[in-house]
Amino acid sequence: MEKLIKIFDNKKYLKLAKDNKKSYLRNKPYPHICFDNFLPKDLAFMLSKEYPKINKIDKNWKSHKNKNVIRYFLEDSSLFKKNLKIFSMLINSRKFLLFLESLTGIESIIPDPYFIGGGAMTTGSGGFLNIHADFNYHHKLQSWRRINVLFYLTPNWNKKWGGNLELWTNNKKKKLKK
């Protein structure tokens, strides 16, 4: 647990942000970046183990099932298991926000402690999230949402399963990046 609590004290994250700022800003179709192995594998694995199996999802998890999505999510971080709860606090912490500010060049980033439209998410076999644009105005914080941060924690991911992050044109006609 100590390693988890101190994760963003590691100076490698500030260096990672500074070394990748230009790349982040230049990426098309809009500024973005993907980091493989952003978290140490043992911590990512530990966090992944705190997600329930699809057949063990309890009533606290909401589900979205429609033509655009089949997924389960838990926005209330007080209901997360211990290490996932700690991690949710860490990604709302000063150190992580400074990492994001250094990477993006956006000053005064405010975290989303509500995890509206976010939080812990999982899908089972056949689950999906279709092409979409996330909301950009946060009604609880009364502010514009400018950054999304996604952590993929599936151990031993098989590319044949699909599920890649894809970036599309605004009209959803052409995939630009996978």
Side-chain angles (χ1 to χ4, degrees), residues 52 54 57-65 69-76 79-80 114-118 120-123 139:
I54 293 298
I57 296 233
D58 67 31
K59 66 180 176 10
N60 293 315
W61 286 72
K62 298 176 185 176
S63 68
H64 280 163
K65 292 181 182 179
V69 65
I70 297 177
R71 69 173 175 165
Y72 298 90
F73 64 102
L74 184 59
E75 295 172 325
D76 185 351
L79 300 173
F80 292 173
Y114 299 101
F115 291 108
I116 304 271
M121 292 188 195
T122 190
T123 63
H139 71 281

Side-chain angles (χ1 to χ4, degrees), residues 147-160:
I147 303 170
N148 286 340
V149 178
L150 307 173
F151 293 93
Y152 290 87
L153 300 172
T154 305
N156 304 314
W157 183 257
N158 185 331
K159 288 184 180 184
K160 293 178 188 173

Side-chain angles (χ1 to χ4, degrees), residues 5-178:
I5 291 171
K6 294 186 176 222
I7 184 72
F8 297 120
D9 292 347
N10 188 327
K11 292 182 188 228
K12 82 172 191 175
Y13 290 103
L14 185 55
K15 181 174 177 9
L16 188 66
K18 288 179 179 178
D19 289 350
N20 288 280
K21 181 176 183 172
K22 285 181 183 173
S23 178
Y24 168 85
L25 292 170
R26 288 181 186 149
N27 275 331
K28 302 292 180 205
Y30 45 78
H32 69 278
I33 198 154
C34 295
F35 295 115
D36 290 331
N37 302 310
F38 182 77
L39 298 174
K41 285 186 181 193
D42 59 327
L43 291 184
F45 184 73
M46 177 183 67
L47 293 171
S48 76
K49 292 308 235 177
E50 296 203 349
Y51 281 77
K53 300 284 185 224
I54 293 298
N55 62 352
K56 305 262 187 204
I57 296 233
D58 67 31
K59 66 180 176 10
N60 293 315
W61 286 72
K62 298 176 185 176
S63 68
H64 280 163
K65 292 181 182 179
N66 59 46
K67 67 178 182 151
N68 291 315
V69 65
I70 297 177
R71 69 173 175 165
Y72 298 90
F73 64 102
L74 184 59
E75 295 172 325
D76 185 351
S77 61
S78 72
L79 300 173
F80 292 173
K81 290 188 177 181
K82 179 179 72 174
N83 292 312
L84 198 53
K85 187 183 293 189
I86 290 167
F87 187 68
S88 73
M89 290 181 218
L90 293 170
I91 60 175
N92 277 287
S93 72
R94 179 181 193 275
K95 293 260 174 141
F96 189 69
L97 296 178
L98 289 172
F99 163 79
L100 291 176
E101 288 179 1
S102 296
L103 176 66
T104 66
I106 300 170
E107 295 181 8
S108 305
I109 293 175
I110 300 169
D112 176 10
Y114 299 101
F115 291 108
I116 304 271
M121 292 188 195
T122 190
T123 63
S125 180
F128 62 92
L129 187 56
N130 273 343
I131 303 166
H132 70 284
D134 285 347
F135 71 88
N136 57 12
Y137 188 74
H138 196 297
H139 71 281
K140 294 284 275 181
L141 296 176
Q142 298 289 296
S143 61
W144 294 100
R145 183 164 145 181
R146 301 198 41 208
I147 303 170
N148 286 340
V149 178
L150 307 173
F151 293 93
Y152 290 87
L153 300 172
T154 305
N156 304 314
W157 183 257
N158 185 331
K159 288 184 180 184
K160 293 178 188 173
W161 298 343
N164 299 51
L165 175 64
E166 298 177 347
L167 305 179
W168 288 68
T169 57
N170 286 339
N171 64 7
K172 302 179 190 174
K173 299 228 185 248
K174 183 178 178 189
K175 181 181 3 172
L176 300 173
K177 267 193 176 173
K178 178 177 176 180

